[in-house]
Amino acid sequence: MSVVLPGEVIHTQHKTLKLGPGLQQSVDLQGRTSTVVTRAGTLQQNAKGNEFWVEGNSRRYVPAAQEPVVGIVIARQGEGWRVDIGSAHQASLDGLAFEGVSRRNRPNLKVNSLVYARVSLAHKDMEPELECFDAQTRKAGGFGELNGGFLVRCSLKMSRNLMDPKYFLLPLLGSRFPLDSALGTNGRVWISAKEVKHTIAAARCIEAADPDGGGMDQNAIKTFIGTLDI
């Protein structure tokens, strides 16, 4: 990890390269591509070495292509919907951007419905666009409307922590009670458990472990769970 500043050019080469928030590709007059930093922060890289992003103190989500997000439907628009994903601009979700839909059997999303979607288009001069299927398989892959459950808001850093398979919290909670979750990179996490008290416990643990909240480590969370009624 290293601290980077806007305008810096970093070395990122991979067959399946993915750039997250704080980075963008630039092409010069000779057709050469480079990766340029667009915001100050710490350069991060996933375990596979194919995904890079800049971790900063920003509290507002900046959409990046292929990232999963949890959105809230705020309005119907033509044949699709306007969706709040916590960014500066609302995102659009087309009525056909779901697995196996046609003009006759589109989803019937209501205002305030929750959706788990993938950012299919992210550009600073255009509004974000969403899709509710996997880009490679064209299958739902867990994307779509989220029914029931509870929406937890957290910091962007906490979102990425939860998406890390090595992060302790979700496996720890899963060892105590069955828990379903949809993890968005936009500071929103949807959780659902069979019992309300388990859903509340999971939400409180996420808030307690959030670096912008309690900032508890694994041992502290274990102690905290012991004080909850689960």
Side-chain angles (χ1 to χ4, degrees):
M1 297 186 296
S2 60
V3 176
V4 292
L5 298 173
E8 284 190 39
V9 177
I10 63 171
H11 179 72
T12 54
Q13 287 188 345
H14 199 280
K15 292 182 179 179
T16 59
L17 178 65
K18 296 181 180 179
L19 299 181
L23 299 172
Q24 70 177 24
Q25 280 196 325
S26 177
V27 182
D28 61 21
L29 296 177
Q30 285 72 42
R32 295 172 297 190
T33 60
S34 58
T35 301
V36 181
V37 178
T38 60
R39 75 180 187 193
T42 305
L43 182 64
Q44 303 284 342
Q45 179 181 359
N46 69 347
K48 294 181 179 180
N50 69 328
E51 184 174 351
F52 298 82
W53 69 93
V54 176
E55 194 76 67
N57 293 326
S58 174
R59 294 183 179 274
R60 183 182 290 278
Y61 173 63
V62 179
Q66 309 309 320
E67 288 192 334
V69 294
V70 176
I72 304 172
V73 176
I74 59 174
R76 180 86 190 200
Q77 176 181 287
E79 297 182 349
W81 300 270
R82 306 287 295 173
V83 182
D84 170 24
I85 58 173
S87 60
H89 302 285
Q90 298 169 0
S92 62
L93 174 62
D94 190 83
L96 297 177
F98 295 79
E99 178 191 0
V101 300
S102 66
R103 297 189 179 276
R104 294 184 178 181
N105 67 337
R106 297 180 188 181
N108 185 27
L109 300 179
K110 306 293 185 182
V111 172
N112 293 327
S113 294
L114 297 179
V115 292
Y116 191 42
R118 175 179 57 83
V119 179
S120 58
L121 175 65
H123 191 279
K124 63 179 181 178
D125 297 322
M126 301 175 65
E127 67 178 17
E129 294 183 5
L130 307 177
E131 292 177 341
C132 287
F133 54 77
D134 186 275
Q136 297 180 337
T137 64
R138 312 295 291 185
K139 301 293 184 180
F143 294 114
E145 184 177 7
L146 298 171
N147 295 304
F150 182 74
L151 179 64
V152 181
R153 300 176 188 269
C154 60
S155 67
L156 301 181
K157 182 174 179 58
M158 186 61 184
S159 289
R160 293 199 176 274
N161 285 346
L162 291 171
M163 298 184 73
D164 184 350
K166 297 180 180 179
Y167 190 65
F168 71 89
L169 186 55
L170 291 182
L172 176 60
L173 293 175
S175 68
R176 301 299 181 97
F177 48 80
L179 180 70
D180 292 328
S181 63
L183 309 176
T185 55
N186 58 332
R188 295 176 182 174
V189 180
W190 174 85
I191 54 176
S192 178
K194 292 183 178 180
E195 297 188 41
V196 174
K197 64 180 181 180
H198 292 160
T199 300
I200 295 174
R204 292 188 62 185
C205 287
I206 291 173
E207 293 169 352
D210 193 328
D212 284 0
M216 292 185 179
D217 60 13
Q218 184 171 355
N219 290 332
I221 288 293
K222 287 182 178 179
T223 301
F224 179 64
I225 291 177
T227 67
L228 301 177
D229 179 24
I230 57 174

Short mmCIF file of all heavy atoms in Angstrom, two decimals, residues 47-108:
data_model
loop_
_atom_site.label_atom_id
_atom_site.label_comp_id
_atom_site.label_asym_id
_atom_site.label_seq_id
_atom_site.Cartn_x
_atom_site.Cartn_y
_atom_site.Cartn_z
N ALA A 47 -6.36 -9.59 -3.63
CA ALA A 47 -5.43 -10.72 -3.53
C ALA A 47 -5.02 -11.25 -4.90
O ALA A 47 -3.89 -11.72 -5.08
CB ALA A 47 -6.05 -11.83 -2.69
N LYS A 48 -5.93 -11.19 -5.88
CA LYS A 48 -5.63 -11.71 -7.22
C LYS A 48 -4.72 -10.78 -8.00
O LYS A 48 -4.14 -11.19 -9.01
CB LYS A 48 -6.93 -11.93 -7.99
CG LYS A 48 -7.82 -13.02 -7.43
CD LYS A 48 -9.07 -13.19 -8.28
CE LYS A 48 -9.97 -14.28 -7.75
NZ LYS A 48 -11.20 -14.44 -8.58
N GLY A 49 -4.61 -9.54 -7.58
CA GLY A 49 -3.75 -8.59 -8.27
C GLY A 49 -4.36 -7.99 -9.51
O GLY A 49 -3.65 -7.37 -10.31
N ASN A 50 -5.69 -8.16 -9.69
CA ASN A 50 -6.33 -7.63 -10.89
C ASN A 50 -7.27 -6.46 -10.62
O ASN A 50 -7.86 -5.91 -11.53
CB ASN A 50 -7.10 -8.74 -11.62
CG ASN A 50 -8.33 -9.19 -10.83
OD1 ASN A 50 -8.32 -9.17 -9.61
ND2 ASN A 50 -9.37 -9.60 -11.54
N GLU A 51 -7.42 -6.09 -9.35
CA GLU A 51 -8.32 -4.99 -9.01
C GLU A 51 -7.60 -3.97 -8.14
O GLU A 51 -6.97 -4.32 -7.14
CB GLU A 51 -9.56 -5.52 -8.27
CG GLU A 51 -10.59 -4.44 -7.98
CD GLU A 51 -11.87 -5.00 -7.38
OE1 GLU A 51 -12.01 -6.24 -7.36
OE2 GLU A 51 -12.71 -4.19 -6.93
N PHE A 52 -7.68 -2.71 -8.55
CA PHE A 52 -7.02 -1.63 -7.84
C PHE A 52 -8.04 -0.54 -7.53
O PHE A 52 -8.95 -0.29 -8.30
CB PHE A 52 -5.89 -1.04 -8.68
CG PHE A 52 -4.78 -1.99 -9.01
CD1 PHE A 52 -4.90 -2.89 -10.06
CD2 PHE A 52 -3.60 -1.99 -8.28
CE1 PHE A 52 -3.88 -3.77 -10.38
CE2 PHE A 52 -2.58 -2.88 -8.59
CZ PHE A 52 -2.72 -3.77 -9.63
N TRP A 53 -7.86 0.14 -6.40
CA TRP A 53 -8.69 1.29 -6.07
C TRP A 53 -7.94 2.15 -5.06
O TRP A 53 -6.93 1.74 -4.49
CB TRP A 53 -10.03 0.84 -5.50
CG TRP A 53 -9.99 0.21 -4.15
CD1 TRP A 53 -10.15 0.82 -2.93
CD2 TRP A 53 -9.76 -1.18 -3.86
NE1 TRP A 53 -10.03 -0.08 -1.92
CE2 TRP A 53 -9.81 -1.31 -2.44
CE3 TRP A 53 -9.53 -2.30 -4.64
CZ2 TRP A 53 -9.61 -2.54 -1.82
CZ3 TRP A 53 -9.35 -3.53 -4.02
CH2 TRP A 53 -9.38 -3.64 -2.62
N VAL A 54 -8.44 3.35 -4.86
CA VAL A 54 -7.83 4.28 -3.90
C VAL A 54 -8.76 4.42 -2.71
O VAL A 54 -9.92 4.81 -2.85
CB VAL A 54 -7.57 5.65 -4.54
CG1 VAL A 54 -7.04 6.63 -3.49
CG2 VAL A 54 -6.59 5.53 -5.69
N GLU A 55 -8.25 4.07 -1.53
CA GLU A 55 -9.02 4.18 -0.29
C GLU A 55 -8.74 5.54 0.32
O GLU A 55 -7.61 5.88 0.65
CB GLU A 55 -8.59 3.08 0.69
CG GLU A 55 -9.53 2.88 1.85
CD GLU A 55 -10.78 2.14 1.45
OE1 GLU A 55 -10.70 0.95 1.10
OE2 GLU A 55 -11.85 2.78 1.48
N GLY A 56 -9.78 6.36 0.44
CA GLY A 56 -9.63 7.69 1.01
C GLY A 56 -10.62 7.94 2.11
O GLY A 56 -11.26 7.03 2.63
N ASN A 57 -10.77 9.20 2.46
CA ASN A 57 -11.70 9.58 3.54
C ASN A 57 -13.05 10.03 3.00
O ASN A 57 -13.87 10.56 3.74
CB ASN A 57 -11.10 10.71 4.38
CG ASN A 57 -9.87 10.25 5.15
OD1 ASN A 57 -9.81 9.11 5.59
ND2 ASN A 57 -8.90 11.13 5.31
N SER A 58 -13.28 9.82 1.70
CA SER A 58 -14.53 10.27 1.11
C SER A 58 -15.72 9.55 1.72
O SER A 58 -15.68 8.34 1.95
CB SER A 58 -14.51 10.01 -0.41
OG SER A 58 -15.77 10.32 -0.97
N ARG A 59 -16.78 10.31 2.01
CA ARG A 59 -18.00 9.71 2.55
C ARG A 59 -19.04 9.52 1.46
O ARG A 59 -20.07 8.88 1.70
CB ARG A 59 -18.55 10.59 3.67
CG ARG A 59 -17.64 10.63 4.88
CD ARG A 59 -18.23 11.46 6.01
NE ARG A 59 -17.35 11.46 7.16
CZ ARG A 59 -17.35 10.54 8.11
NH1 ARG A 59 -18.18 9.53 8.03
NH2 ARG A 59 -16.52 10.62 9.14
N ARG A 60 -18.79 10.07 0.28
CA ARG A 60 -19.74 9.92 -0.82
C ARG A 60 -19.21 8.88 -1.80
O ARG A 60 -18.05 8.92 -2.20
CB ARG A 60 -19.97 11.24 -1.55
CG ARG A 60 -21.00 11.13 -2.67
CD ARG A 60 -21.17 12.45 -3.40
NE ARG A 60 -21.82 13.44 -2.57
CZ ARG A 60 -23.12 13.53 -2.40
NH1 ARG A 60 -23.94 12.66 -2.98
NH2 ARG A 60 -23.64 14.47 -1.65
N TYR A 61 -20.06 7.95 -2.17
CA TYR A 61 -19.67 6.88 -3.09
C TYR A 61 -19.46 7.43 -4.50
O TYR A 61 -20.28 8.20 -5.01
CB TYR A 61 -20.74 5.80 -3.11
CG TYR A 61 -20.51 4.73 -4.15
CD1 TYR A 61 -19.39 3.91 -4.10
CD2 TYR A 61 -21.41 4.55 -5.20
CE1 TYR A 61 -19.17 2.93 -5.04
CE2 TYR A 61 -21.20 3.57 -6.15
CZ TYR A 61 -20.08 2.77 -6.07
OH TYR A 61 -19.86 1.80 -7.03
N VAL A 62 -18.36 7.03 -5.11
CA VAL A 62 -18.07 7.37 -6.51
C VAL A 62 -18.21 6.09 -7.32
O VAL A 62 -17.41 5.16 -7.16
CB VAL A 62 -16.65 7.95 -6.67
CG1 VAL A 62 -16.38 8.26 -8.13
CG2 VAL A 62 -16.47 9.19 -5.81
N PRO A 63 -19.22 5.99 -8.19
CA PRO A 63 -19.46 4.74 -8.93
C PRO A 63 -18.28 4.33 -9.79
O PRO A 63 -17.59 5.19 -10.38
CB PRO A 63 -20.68 5.08 -9.81
CG PRO A 63 -21.35 6.22 -9.12
CD PRO A 63 -20.24 7.02 -8.51
N ALA A 64 -18.05 3.04 -9.85
CA ALA A 64 -17.02 2.46 -10.71
C ALA A 64 -17.62 1.23 -11.38
O ALA A 64 -18.35 0.47 -10.75
CB ALA A 64 -15.78 2.08 -9.91
N ALA A 65 -17.33 1.05 -12.66
CA ALA A 65 -17.91 -0.04 -13.43
C ALA A 65 -17.62 -1.39 -12.79
O ALA A 65 -16.53 -1.63 -12.27
CB ALA A 65 -17.38 -0.01 -14.86
N GLN A 66 -18.63 -2.26 -12.83
CA GLN A 66 -18.60 -3.64 -12.35
C GLN A 66 -18.71 -3.77 -10.84
O GLN A 66 -18.72 -4.90 -10.32
CB GLN A 66 -17.35 -4.39 -12.84
CG GLN A 66 -17.10 -4.29 -14.33
CD GLN A 66 -18.32 -4.66 -15.17
OE1 GLN A 66 -19.03 -5.59 -14.83
NE2 GLN A 66 -18.55 -3.92 -16.23
N GLU A 67 -18.82 -2.68 -10.12
CA GLU A 67 -18.94 -2.80 -8.67
C GLU A 67 -20.37 -3.11 -8.25
O GLU A 67 -21.32 -2.56 -8.82
CB GLU A 67 -18.49 -1.50 -7.99
CG GLU A 67 -17.00 -1.28 -8.03
CD GLU A 67 -16.56 -0.16 -7.11
OE1 GLU A 67 -17.36 0.74 -6.83
OE2 GLU A 67 -15.38 -0.20 -6.70
N PRO A 68 -20.56 -3.95 -7.24
CA PRO A 68 -21.91 -4.23 -6.73
C PRO A 68 -22.36 -3.12 -5.79
O PRO A 68 -21.57 -2.61 -5.00
CB PRO A 68 -21.73 -5.56 -5.98
CG PRO A 68 -20.30 -5.53 -5.52
CD PRO A 68 -19.53 -4.79 -6.58
N VAL A 69 -23.63 -2.76 -5.88
CA VAL A 69 -24.18 -1.72 -5.02
C VAL A 69 -25.57 -2.13 -4.52
O VAL A 69 -26.25 -2.91 -5.18
CB VAL A 69 -24.29 -0.36 -5.75
CG1 VAL A 69 -22.91 0.19 -6.09
CG2 VAL A 69 -25.13 -0.49 -7.01
N VAL A 70 -25.95 -1.60 -3.38
CA VAL A 70 -27.30 -1.74 -2.89
C VAL A 70 -28.00 -0.41 -3.09
O VAL A 70 -27.53 0.62 -2.58
CB VAL A 70 -27.33 -2.14 -1.39
CG1 VAL A 70 -28.76 -2.19 -0.89
CG2 VAL A 70 -26.65 -3.48 -1.18
N GLY A 71 -29.07 -0.42 -3.87
CA GLY A 71 -29.75 0.83 -4.22
C GLY A 71 -31.18 0.86 -3.73
O GLY A 71 -31.79 -0.18 -3.43
N ILE A 72 -31.70 2.08 -3.65
CA ILE A 72 -33.09 2.30 -3.24
C ILE A 72 -33.85 2.92 -4.40
O ILE A 72 -33.45 3.97 -4.92
CB ILE A 72 -33.17 3.24 -2.02
CG1 ILE A 72 -32.33 2.69 -0.87
CG2 ILE A 72 -34.61 3.43 -1.58
CD1 ILE A 72 -32.19 3.67 0.29
N VAL A 73 -34.90 2.26 -4.85
CA VAL A 73 -35.71 2.79 -5.95
C VAL A 73 -36.44 4.04 -5.45
O VAL A 73 -37.14 4.01 -4.43
CB VAL A 73 -36.73 1.74 -6.43
CG1 VAL A 73 -37.64 2.34 -7.50
CG2 VAL A 73 -36.00 0.51 -6.98
N ILE A 74 -36.27 5.14 -6.18
CA ILE A 74 -36.89 6.40 -5.73
C ILE A 74 -37.95 6.90 -6.70
O ILE A 74 -38.77 7.75 -6.33
CB ILE A 74 -35.83 7.50 -5.51
CG1 ILE A 74 -35.05 7.76 -6.81
CG2 ILE A 74 -34.90 7.12 -4.39
CD1 ILE A 74 -34.10 8.93 -6.70
N ALA A 75 -37.98 6.38 -7.93
CA ALA A 75 -38.99 6.85 -8.89
C ALA A 75 -39.03 5.92 -10.09
O ALA A 75 -38.05 5.25 -10.43
CB ALA A 75 -38.71 8.28 -9.34
N ARG A 76 -40.18 5.90 -10.74
CA ARG A 76 -40.33 5.19 -12.00
C ARG A 76 -39.95 6.15 -13.12
O ARG A 76 -40.25 7.35 -13.06
CB ARG A 76 -41.79 4.75 -12.18
CG ARG A 76 -42.08 4.00 -13.47
CD ARG A 76 -41.81 2.53 -13.32
NE ARG A 76 -41.84 1.83 -14.58
CZ ARG A 76 -42.02 0.54 -14.70
NH1 ARG A 76 -42.21 -0.20 -13.62
NH2 ARG A 76 -42.02 -0.06 -15.87
N GLN A 77 -39.26 5.66 -14.13
CA GLN A 77 -38.84 6.51 -15.23
C GLN A 77 -39.00 5.75 -16.55
O GLN A 77 -38.21 4.87 -16.86
CB GLN A 77 -37.38 6.96 -15.07
CG GLN A 77 -36.87 7.79 -16.24
CD GLN A 77 -35.42 8.20 -16.05
OE1 GLN A 77 -35.12 9.06 -15.25
NE2 GLN A 77 -34.51 7.55 -16.76
N GLY A 78 -40.03 6.08 -17.30
CA GLY A 78 -40.26 5.39 -18.57
C GLY A 78 -40.40 3.90 -18.37
O GLY A 78 -41.29 3.44 -17.66
N GLU A 79 -39.49 3.14 -18.96
CA GLU A 79 -39.52 1.69 -18.85
C GLU A 79 -38.52 1.18 -17.80
O GLU A 79 -38.17 0.01 -17.80
CB GLU A 79 -39.23 1.07 -20.21
CG GLU A 79 -40.28 1.41 -21.26
CD GLU A 79 -40.00 0.74 -22.59
OE1 GLU A 79 -38.89 0.19 -22.76
OE2 GLU A 79 -40.89 0.75 -23.46
N GLY A 80 -38.07 2.07 -16.94
CA GLY A 80 -37.12 1.67 -15.91
C GLY A 80 -37.35 2.45 -14.63
O GLY A 80 -38.44 2.93 -14.36
N TRP A 81 -36.29 2.60 -13.84
CA TRP A 81 -36.39 3.25 -12.54
C TRP A 81 -35.18 4.13 -12.27
O TRP A 81 -34.10 3.93 -12.83
CB TRP A 81 -36.48 2.20 -11.43
CG TRP A 81 -37.65 1.29 -11.53
CD1 TRP A 81 -38.90 1.48 -11.00
CD2 TRP A 81 -37.72 0.05 -12.25
NE1 TRP A 81 -39.72 0.44 -11.32
CE2 TRP A 81 -39.03 -0.46 -12.08
CE3 TRP A 81 -36.80 -0.68 -13.00
CZ2 TRP A 81 -39.44 -1.66 -12.65
CZ3 TRP A 81 -37.20 -1.88 -13.57
CH2 TRP A 81 -38.51 -2.36 -13.39
N ARG A 82 -35.39 5.12 -11.41
CA ARG A 82 -34.31 5.93 -10.87
C ARG A 82 -33.94 5.31 -9.53
O ARG A 82 -34.81 4.97 -8.72
CB ARG A 82 -34.76 7.38 -10.67
CG ARG A 82 -35.34 8.03 -11.90
CD ARG A 82 -34.29 8.36 -12.93
NE ARG A 82 -33.35 9.36 -12.44
CZ ARG A 82 -32.26 9.72 -13.13
NH1 ARG A 82 -31.97 9.11 -14.28
NH2 ARG A 82 -31.46 10.64 -12.67
N VAL A 83 -32.64 5.15 -9.30
CA VAL A 83 -32.18 4.45 -8.11
C VAL A 83 -31.14 5.29 -7.37
O VAL A 83 -30.19 5.81 -7.98
CB VAL A 83 -31.56 3.08 -8.47
CG1 VAL A 83 -31.12 2.33 -7.22
CG2 VAL A 83 -32.57 2.23 -9.25
N ASP A 84 -31.32 5.42 -6.07
CA ASP A 84 -30.35 6.12 -5.22
C ASP A 84 -29.29 5.12 -4.77
O ASP A 84 -29.61 4.14 -4.09
CB ASP A 84 -31.07 6.72 -4.01
CG ASP A 84 -30.10 7.25 -2.96
OD1 ASP A 84 -28.95 7.57 -3.32
OD2 ASP A 84 -30.49 7.31 -1.77
N ILE A 85 -28.03 5.38 -5.16
CA ILE A 85 -26.94 4.50 -4.74
C ILE A 85 -25.94 5.24 -3.86
O ILE A 85 -24.84 4.76 -3.61
CB ILE A 85 -26.21 3.86 -5.95
CG1 ILE A 85 -25.66 4.94 -6.89
CG2 ILE A 85 -27.15 2.93 -6.71
CD1 ILE A 85 -24.79 4.37 -8.02
N GLY A 86 -26.33 6.43 -3.42
CA GLY A 86 -25.46 7.19 -2.52
C GLY A 86 -24.40 8.01 -3.20
O GLY A 86 -23.52 8.57 -2.54
N SER A 87 -24.45 8.11 -4.53
CA SER A 87 -23.47 8.90 -5.27
C SER A 87 -24.03 10.29 -5.53
O SER A 87 -25.16 10.61 -5.17
CB SER A 87 -23.14 8.21 -6.60
OG SER A 87 -24.30 8.08 -7.40
N ALA A 88 -23.24 11.13 -6.19
CA ALA A 88 -23.66 12.51 -6.46
C ALA A 88 -24.87 12.54 -7.40
O ALA A 88 -25.67 13.47 -7.34
CB ALA A 88 -22.50 13.30 -7.04
N HIS A 89 -24.97 11.54 -8.26
CA HIS A 89 -26.07 11.48 -9.22
C HIS A 89 -26.85 10.18 -9.05
O HIS A 89 -26.28 9.14 -8.73
CB HIS A 89 -25.54 11.57 -10.66
CG HIS A 89 -24.75 12.82 -10.92
ND1 HIS A 89 -25.32 14.05 -11.09
CD2 HIS A 89 -23.40 13.01 -11.03
CE1 HIS A 89 -24.39 14.95 -11.30
NE2 HIS A 89 -23.22 14.36 -11.26
N GLN A 90 -28.14 10.25 -9.29
CA GLN A 90 -28.96 9.05 -9.26
C GLN A 90 -28.60 8.13 -10.42
O GLN A 90 -28.16 8.58 -11.47
CB GLN A 90 -30.43 9.44 -9.34
CG GLN A 90 -30.91 10.30 -8.19
CD GLN A 90 -32.28 10.89 -8.42
OE1 GLN A 90 -32.89 10.66 -9.46
NE2 GLN A 90 -32.78 11.66 -7.47
N ALA A 91 -28.80 6.85 -10.22
CA ALA A 91 -28.50 5.86 -11.26
C ALA A 91 -29.79 5.46 -11.96
O ALA A 91 -30.89 5.62 -11.42
CB ALA A 91 -27.83 4.64 -10.65
N SER A 92 -29.65 4.94 -13.16
CA SER A 92 -30.81 4.45 -13.90
C SER A 92 -30.73 2.93 -14.02
O SER A 92 -29.65 2.37 -14.20
CB SER A 92 -30.86 5.09 -15.30
OG SER A 92 -29.72 4.74 -16.05
N LEU A 93 -31.89 2.30 -13.89
CA LEU A 93 -32.00 0.84 -14.00
C LEU A 93 -33.08 0.53 -15.01
O LEU A 93 -34.26 0.83 -14.79
CB LEU A 93 -32.35 0.23 -12.63
CG LEU A 93 -32.63 -1.27 -12.59
CD1 LEU A 93 -31.40 -2.07 -13.03
CD2 LEU A 93 -33.07 -1.69 -11.19
N ASP A 94 -32.69 -0.06 -16.13
CA ASP A 94 -33.64 -0.36 -17.20
C ASP A 94 -34.50 -1.57 -16.82
O ASP A 94 -34.05 -2.48 -16.11
CB ASP A 94 -32.90 -0.64 -18.51
CG ASP A 94 -33.84 -0.72 -19.69
OD1 ASP A 94 -34.20 0.32 -20.25
OD2 ASP A 94 -34.23 -1.85 -20.05
N GLY A 95 -35.74 -1.57 -17.32
CA GLY A 95 -36.65 -2.66 -17.02
C GLY A 95 -36.22 -3.99 -17.60
O GLY A 95 -36.69 -5.05 -17.16
N LEU A 96 -35.32 -3.97 -18.56
CA LEU A 96 -34.84 -5.22 -19.18
C LEU A 96 -33.48 -5.65 -18.64
O LEU A 96 -32.91 -6.63 -19.14
CB LEU A 96 -34.75 -5.04 -20.70
CG LEU A 96 -36.07 -4.75 -21.42
CD1 LEU A 96 -35.83 -4.52 -22.90
CD2 LEU A 96 -37.06 -5.89 -21.21
N ALA A 97 -32.97 -4.94 -17.64
CA ALA A 97 -31.64 -5.23 -17.11
C ALA A 97 -31.68 -6.30 -16.02
O ALA A 97 -31.00 -6.20 -15.00
CB ALA A 97 -31.01 -3.95 -16.57
N PHE A 98 -32.50 -7.33 -16.25
CA PHE A 98 -32.62 -8.44 -15.32
C PHE A 98 -32.52 -9.75 -16.11
O PHE A 98 -32.76 -9.78 -17.32
CB PHE A 98 -33.97 -8.40 -14.60
CG PHE A 98 -34.16 -7.21 -13.70
CD1 PHE A 98 -34.51 -5.98 -14.22
CD2 PHE A 98 -33.99 -7.33 -12.34
CE1 PHE A 98 -34.69 -4.88 -13.40
CE2 PHE A 98 -34.17 -6.24 -11.50
CZ PHE A 98 -34.53 -5.01 -12.04
N GLU A 99 -32.20 -10.83 -15.40
CA GLU A 99 -32.08 -12.13 -16.07
C GLU A 99 -33.46 -12.61 -16.55
O GLU A 99 -34.43 -12.60 -15.79
CB GLU A 99 -31.50 -13.16 -15.11
CG GLU A 99 -31.40 -14.56 -15.75
CD GLU A 99 -31.09 -15.65 -14.73
OE1 GLU A 99 -30.94 -15.33 -13.54
OE2 GLU A 99 -31.00 -16.82 -15.15
N GLY A 100 -33.52 -13.04 -17.81
CA GLY A 100 -34.69 -13.70 -18.34
C GLY A 100 -35.94 -12.88 -18.46
O GLY A 100 -37.04 -13.43 -18.51
N VAL A 101 -35.82 -11.54 -18.50
CA VAL A 101 -37.03 -10.71 -18.60
C VAL A 101 -37.31 -10.36 -20.06
O VAL A 101 -36.43 -10.43 -20.92
CB VAL A 101 -36.90 -9.41 -17.79
CG1 VAL A 101 -36.67 -9.71 -16.33
CG2 VAL A 101 -35.81 -8.52 -18.35
N SER A 102 -38.54 -10.03 -20.33
CA SER A 102 -38.95 -9.54 -21.65
C SER A 102 -39.89 -8.36 -21.41
O SER A 102 -40.15 -7.97 -20.28
CB SER A 102 -39.66 -10.64 -22.44
OG SER A 102 -40.89 -10.99 -21.81
N ARG A 103 -40.40 -7.80 -22.46
CA ARG A 103 -41.29 -6.66 -22.30
C ARG A 103 -42.62 -7.04 -21.64
O ARG A 103 -43.37 -6.19 -21.19
CB ARG A 103 -41.55 -6.01 -23.66
CG ARG A 103 -40.29 -5.44 -24.29
CD ARG A 103 -40.59 -4.62 -25.54
NE ARG A 103 -39.37 -4.07 -26.11
CZ ARG A 103 -38.79 -2.95 -25.70
NH1 ARG A 103 -39.34 -2.26 -24.72
NH2 ARG A 103 -37.69 -2.51 -26.27
N ARG A 104 -42.90 -8.35 -21.58
CA ARG A 104 -44.16 -8.80 -20.99
C ARG A 104 -44.03 -9.21 -19.52
O ARG A 104 -45.03 -9.29 -18.83
CB ARG A 104 -44.72 -9.98 -21.80
CG ARG A 104 -45.15 -9.60 -23.21
CD ARG A 104 -45.77 -10.80 -23.90
NE ARG A 104 -46.24 -10.46 -25.26
CZ ARG A 104 -46.84 -11.32 -26.06
NH1 ARG A 104 -47.04 -12.58 -25.67
NH2 ARG A 104 -47.24 -10.94 -27.27
N ASN A 105 -42.82 -9.51 -19.08
CA ASN A 105 -42.68 -9.99 -17.70
C ASN A 105 -41.58 -9.24 -16.94
O ASN A 105 -40.71 -9.83 -16.34
CB ASN A 105 -42.38 -11.50 -17.69
CG ASN A 105 -41.02 -11.82 -18.29
OD1 ASN A 105 -40.48 -11.05 -19.08
ND2 ASN A 105 -40.45 -12.96 -17.91
N ARG A 106 -41.66 -7.94 -16.99
CA ARG A 106 -40.67 -7.13 -16.28
C ARG A 106 -40.93 -7.15 -14.78
O ARG A 106 -42.05 -7.35 -14.34
CB ARG A 106 -40.74 -5.67 -16.78
CG ARG A 106 -40.39 -5.52 -18.24
CD ARG A 106 -40.48 -4.08 -18.63
NE ARG A 106 -40.33 -3.91 -20.07
CZ ARG A 106 -40.34 -2.75 -20.68
NH1 ARG A 106 -40.51 -1.65 -19.98
NH2 ARG A 106 -40.18 -2.68 -21.99
N PRO A 107 -39.87 -6.91 -13.99
CA PRO A 107 -40.05 -6.81 -12.54
C PRO A 107 -40.97 -5.65 -12.18
O PRO A 107 -41.01 -4.64 -12.90
CB PRO A 107 -38.62 -6.56 -12.03
CG PRO A 107 -37.74 -7.05 -13.12
CD PRO A 107 -38.47 -6.79 -14.40
N ASN A 108 -41.67 -5.79 -11.10
CA ASN A 108 -42.60 -4.74 -10.67
C ASN A 108 -42.05 -4.07 -9.42
O ASN A 108 -42.55 -4.26 -8.31
CB ASN A 108 -43.99 -5.33 -10.42
CG ASN A 108 -45.01 -4.26 -10.10
OD1 ASN A 108 -44.88 -3.11 -10.52
ND2 ASN A 108 -46.03 -4.62 -9.34
#
